Amino acid sequence: MSVKDDLTSVQRSLDELNRALGRLEQQLGREPLDVRRVRTDADHLRESVALLRGAQPAESPRPAIVPVPIPEAPYDASLWRDADDEGLGARDRRAP
């Protein structure tokens, strides 16, 4: 799951908690201190999730992978004329 999906899932859970608290308040007939405390905590969680959602960078699409063509023709030998063989040194000198 992506972060966006997880935040959406948390938001849905908080919405369900809010609905359940509303039903609980109706059943109890009044708003007891404990229910008020839970509702306040749920509101704080809702604000925190909103902050997390706002802090997430916008998802940008991945750049397309562009294949780099590699020619089948052999390289020009003149490209390697003055090159040293790695670990062997220059052709006209002895290796260390």
Side-chain angles (χ1 to χ4, degrees):
M1 277 187 127
S2 69
V3 173
K4 183 179 177 182
D5 294 338
D6 287 337
L7 287 172
T8 302
S9 175
V10 169
Q11 185 66 46
R12 274 191 241 122
S13 298
L14 287 173
D15 292 341
E16 179 60 33
L17 175 63
N18 194 30
R19 285 189 291 275
L21 285 173
R23 289 190 302 267
L24 186 61
E25 289 170 350
Q26 288 176 355
Q27 291 174 359
L28 295 175
R30 55 181 169 68
E31 190 176 318
L33 179 63
D34 293 337
V35 174
R36 211 173 341 158
R37 185 175 295 151
V38 172
R39 183 167 296 281
T40 301
D41 291 344
D43 290 340
H44 286 228
L45 284 172
R46 186 179 304 277
E47 291 170 6
S48 297
V49 169
L51 288 173
L52 283 174
R53 192 179 296 269
Q56 292 301 310
E59 291 184 19
S60 59
R62 290 185 177 179
I65 297 175
V66 179
V68 177
I70 299 175
E72 294 293 329
Y75 287 108
D76 182 11
S78 66
L79 292 173
W80 312 109
R81 187 175 324 142
D82 295 332
D84 291 343
D85 287 333
E86 186 176 327
L88 297 177
R91 289 189 181 127
D92 58 341
R93 290 178 282 180
R94 288 181 21 190

